[in-house]
Amino acid sequence: MAANFGKNYKISIFGESHGSALGINIDGIPAGTELDLEFISQEMRRRAPGRSKLTTPRVEKDEFEILSGFFDGKTTGTPLAMIIRNSNQRSKDYSELKRKPRPGHADWSGFNRYNGFNDIRGSGHFSGRITASLVFAGAIAKQILKEKGILIAAHIKSVKDIEDRDFVESDITQENIDKLRNMTLPVLNEEIVEKIEKVVEKTREEKNSLGGIVELMVTGLPAGIGDPYFESMESELSRMIFSVPATKGIEFGAGFGITEMTGYEANDEMFYDEKGNIKSFTNNNGGIIGGITTGMPISFKVAIKPTASIEKAQKTVNLETKQNDILEVKGRHDPIIVPRVVPVLEAATAIVILDRVLENNKYSK
């Protein structure tokens, strides 16, 4: 099973939503790296459920335990292993799902992939809970990247028809990033917070769910990181981002909107800035051309689908009776997953960027 990622900053994840534990093994952290454990804990809390009325009432503290590769506050250079023990399990909520696959979930596809042996409890290995391990690895990657002047930020771009403004490069400061990290609904225009809360609450009352779009930006990367074709920066980011459950689309820079432009409009014309750095007047290509960074910010948007588990009655099939059936999903579920996926997408991005930066360092003069 493809539970591994990376050539230089290598990760391997394991676990199930309602198993005894989940975790990750990380290889490639430079020896002597000092880890800010409080920062890592803060990142884990951002993803954890139970933070607000917008999330599932399931409470998991996501307290991590480092098993190896860390001594006297610094990494040893050997693989770093971490586990999170699941403490709030209610598997009885999912007993019906063994015979009635949930629409929108991986119950049916997973059943076929693993010949019926897949763990159905809380979606098992397909659960968004497994992303806690990605957040852990991403928090470490962020610390290493920050030392290199590379910053990663994300905000909720839209929920339903409620739109936030786009990032501009000047938004990406440590002060603004810290502000977004401390917001339950990380948006740039705070006037839309109440609107989002109201539409989410209305959707919850209707036993339904919502999705949304998250925008990310990476600054501080020099030109020349990445490769063409199969290991392009866009390819690697897309591969990782689509590994985050609920992701259904990604677009870089102007994205699909670039098809409405002429070549002259789409091309990012270039200039020397006051410091002698080569920049472009626009960033329609999202800071990546030919699979390689241009020195402009990497900019992309991610489409997150509505939470699949809803209490509204849905049509499905009964695998035991071989008949059509009706399913009403019970249990504890998010009416919207978008706020909790923001730190996951940041972490996933950090993992890829660090892996590519370390790869580039192998060939730099």
Side-chain angles (χ1 to χ4, degrees):
M1 190 176 78
N4 310 297
F5 181 90
K7 295 175 65 177
N8 305 280
Y9 188 66
K10 296 179 282 189
I11 65 172
S12 178
I13 61 173
F14 65 89
E16 292 84 29
S17 175
H18 284 217
S20 60
L22 54 98
I24 191 167
N25 191 73
I26 308 172
D27 195 5
I29 306 174
T33 299
E34 187 173 351
L35 299 185
D36 184 342
L37 299 183
E38 178 53 34
F39 173 77
I40 296 174
S41 295
Q42 291 170 0
E43 292 290 275
M44 303 293 278
R45 288 194 291 270
R46 291 177 65 203
R47 191 221 67 90
R51 291 183 66 216
S52 76
K53 62 182 180 180
L54 301 180
T55 67
T56 169
R58 177 181 179 177
V59 176
E60 287 283 2
K61 296 181 180 180
D62 283 358
E63 294 179 344
F64 58 87
E65 180 182 350
I66 296 177
L67 303 179
S68 66
F70 187 64
F71 181 70
D72 281 346
K74 296 182 179 180
T75 58
T76 64
T78 57
L80 189 149
M82 180 279 296
I83 64 168
I84 301 169
R85 301 186 188 279
N86 288 323
S87 60
N88 196 343
Q89 303 158 302
R90 281 169 54 182
S91 301
K92 62 183 180 182
D93 291 341
Y94 304 94
S95 57
E96 186 181 22
L97 304 182
K98 194 69 175 177
R99 62 181 184 277
K100 294 184 184 181
R102 293 165 293 183
H105 266 282
D107 298 343
W108 174 236
S109 57
F111 177 88
N112 285 274
R113 171 65 177 83
Y114 297 109
N115 300 314
F117 294 104
N118 54 306
D119 187 342
I120 201 69
R121 302 170 301 168
S123 297
H125 192 69
F126 294 98
S127 171
R129 175 143 179 73
I130 309 306
T131 61
S133 294
L134 293 182
V135 172
F136 177 87
I140 294 174
K142 281 183 181 181
Q143 293 179 50
I144 298 172
L145 292 171
K146 184 179 177 180
E147 292 297 315
K148 301 177 183 293
I150 300 168
L151 299 177
I152 299 168
H155 73 110
I156 298 173
K157 179 62 178 69
S158 69
V159 172
K160 204 171 183 181
D161 58 350
I162 305 169
E163 293 266 349
D164 196 13
R165 69 171 176 83
D166 284 348
F167 268 141
V168 294
E169 186 173 359
S170 59
D171 288 322
I172 315 304
T173 65
Q174 193 58 57
E175 180 182 359
N176 287 341
I177 290 173
D178 290 341
K179 180 179 178 181
L180 288 169
R181 288 179 66 241
N182 290 314
M183 297 173 70
T184 302
L185 288 171
V187 295
L188 302 173
N189 178 10
E190 295 181 49
E191 293 180 359
I192 68 173
V193 169
E194 186 177 356
K195 294 179 181 179
I196 295 176
E197 290 175 340
K198 286 183 178 179
V199 74
V200 171
E201 186 56 37
K202 182 176 184 294
T203 302
R204 185 204 294 272
E205 291 171 357
E206 295 171 349
K207 299 182 179 181
N208 216 334
S209 64
L210 292 170
I213 296 174
V214 176
E215 183 184 29
L216 295 101
M217 184 171 280
V218 184
T219 62
L221 268 176
I225 306 294
D227 290 296
Y229 296 103
F230 308 119
E231 291 186 0
S232 76
M233 185 62 81
E234 290 154 316
S235 300
E236 294 296 277
L237 280 169
S238 298
R239 183 160 73 101
M240 173 59 86
I241 296 300
F242 273 108
S243 299
V244 176
T247 297
K248 298 306 292 184
I250 187 171
E251 60 176 15
F252 291 86
F256 286 97
I258 208 167
T259 64
E260 301 172 5
M261 303 177 186
T262 64
Y264 181 77
E265 292 168 328
N267 291 342
D268 297 312
E269 294 183 286
M270 303 162 71
F271 68 96
Y272 279 104
D273 68 10
E274 63 279 1
K275 296 181 180 179
N277 299 313
I278 296 177
K279 299 286 187 179
S280 58
F281 292 100
T282 55
N283 196 21
N284 294 318
N285 290 280
I288 306 169
I289 296 180
I292 301 169
T293 58
T294 65
M296 291 294 287
I298 292 180
S299 173
F300 61 98
K301 296 182 177 75
V302 181
I304 302 298
K305 73 175 185 176
T307 314
S309 291
I310 57 175
E311 292 189 46
K312 189 180 288 288
Q314 300 174 89
K315 296 175 182 177
T316 186
V317 295
N318 191 309
L319 300 179
E320 289 183 355
T321 66
K322 310 297 183 185
Q323 300 292 320
N324 295 325
D325 212 328
I326 298 294
L327 176 67
E328 293 182 38
V329 178
K330 303 298 181 182
R332 305 159 295 172
H333 309 289
D334 295 88
I336 183 170
I337 202 67
V338 177
R340 292 179 59 205
V341 85
V342 170
V344 179
L345 294 174
E346 289 177 19
T349 301
I351 291 167
V352 175
I353 298 298
L354 179 57
D355 186 61
R356 294 291 87 196
V357 167
L358 293 174
E359 177 74 8
N360 186 76
N361 288 348
K362 294 193 303 187
Y363 303 102
S364 61
K365 295 180 181 180

